[in-house]
Amino acid sequence: MTDAVPAAMQVLEVQALAPDLAGVALAPRPVPQPGPGQALVRVEAAALGFPDLLMTEGLYQAKPPLPFVPGMEAAGVVVRPGEGSRWQAGDKVIIATLTGAVVQYGVYADAALTPLPAALSFAEGAALRAAYITAYTAIARIGQAQPGETLVVHGAAGGVGLAAVDLGKALGLTVIAVASSAEKRAAVQRLYAPDHVLAGPTGIREQVLELTGGRGADLVYDPVGGDVFDEACRYTAFGGRLLVVGFAGGRIAEVRTNIPLIKGFSVVGVRAGEYGRRFPERGREDMAAVMRLAEEGRIRPHVHSAVPLADWREAYLAMRERRVIGRTVILPHG
């Protein structure tokens, strides 16, 4: 397997921060060599998320120096372990990294690699980690969800939203999924069969109250913000948890503190990656729980499309135009 590794490869490279992907291009690079405690991985699939799009314009909180290779998660096969690495050639792994996933071959620290669950393809494995760890940290760890509670998921057709629907069902919750178009609602229903699917992004307060017997939702998973958050404050149950996951809608909402006081609910911010860094033991437990659910076939990421590296632009445009249901994956060797 070592002899099959080429000397050079193609990568996707952000060479300048510019709108409309003007600073992004394919570029040749030498295949790197692993050092101690590292492994060289042949990347079979790299998943894209909205942060990858924002980083091409410098609009994400992480701003790596130029040029950089985008991509925060991938899956592949170890082809050359470094000295002292705990991995062996032939191991199938999931890769977690801030940048550097959209490559044909990459060197990653041992700790950045996790065994690929046998139940998942490379494309599904690439799409698993970020979305499902975000959902698990929010719903199970911070939200302390209990079987039978009601979970409302906004942006239910997006990467993190769809993962929350899938995970909520696996955890025994009553899931109300909210999506903006009939096509997206039909896809969410087909893929994960939530208990209810509502047309959003707003105008659902009365329906949520009706579906919960007037009580409201125990948990609200909100990666949208803005008007969605404002309305969620009106239907989160007493003792409920409104989980702030992101602001894909653009506006960062504000709440007068008398509202959660009178209505008796909590507003909790979710930064899954930072949570795992600050509480590493809990982070490891959460990752193990997600991997166990995947191994058991109780959760499975949905891959919207898997495109060859040469078609990287289409993958980014699909995200920007909000056409993606679940995750888009790039196949570096496709």
Side-chain angles (χ1 to χ4, degrees), residues 135-246:
Y136 191 91
T137 302
I139 296 167
R141 174 67 71 175
I142 296 175
Q144 293 292 297
Q146 300 300 312
E149 287 191 312
T150 298
L151 166 69
V152 173
V153 178
H154 285 279
V160 294
L162 202 57
V165 173
D166 189 16
L167 181 69
K169 293 296 294 182
L171 295 177
L173 305 179
T174 297
V175 178
I176 301 173
V178 186
S180 59
S181 72
E183 178 189 7
K184 290 180 178 179
R185 292 191 294 275
V188 174
Q189 182 66 58
R190 182 185 74 253
L191 291 166
Y192 299 124
D195 298 274
H196 309 281
V197 181
L198 304 182
T202 56
I204 67 167
R205 175 176 177 264
E206 295 303 325
Q207 295 174 82
V208 172
L209 292 176
E210 181 180 354
L211 291 170
T212 57
R215 183 174 181 277
D218 300 293
L219 300 106
V220 179
Y221 187 88
D222 176 23
V224 181
D227 294 345
V228 164
F229 176 90
D230 294 343
E231 186 180 36
C233 290
R234 303 176 64 201
Y235 63 73
T236 302
F238 196 94
R241 290 82 79 201
L242 204 173
L243 304 164
V244 179
V245 181

Side-chain angles (χ1 to χ4, degrees), residues 103-144:
V103 296
Q104 293 180 318
Y105 293 86
V107 165
Y108 307 99
D110 277 8
L113 306 179
T114 305
L116 174 71
L120 301 184
S121 67
F122 285 117
E124 291 167 337
L128 174 70
R129 185 169 176 139
Y132 280 80
I133 283 296
T134 297
Y136 191 91
T137 302
I139 296 167
R141 174 67 71 175
I142 296 175
Q144 293 292 297

Side-chain angles (χ1 to χ4, degrees), residues 238-262:
F238 196 94
R241 290 82 79 201
L242 204 173
L243 304 164
V244 179
V245 181
F247 316 104
R251 179 173 69 86
I252 297 176
E254 298 179 359
V255 59
R256 295 174 63 90
T257 53
N258 65 312
I259 296 176
L261 170 65
I262 293 170

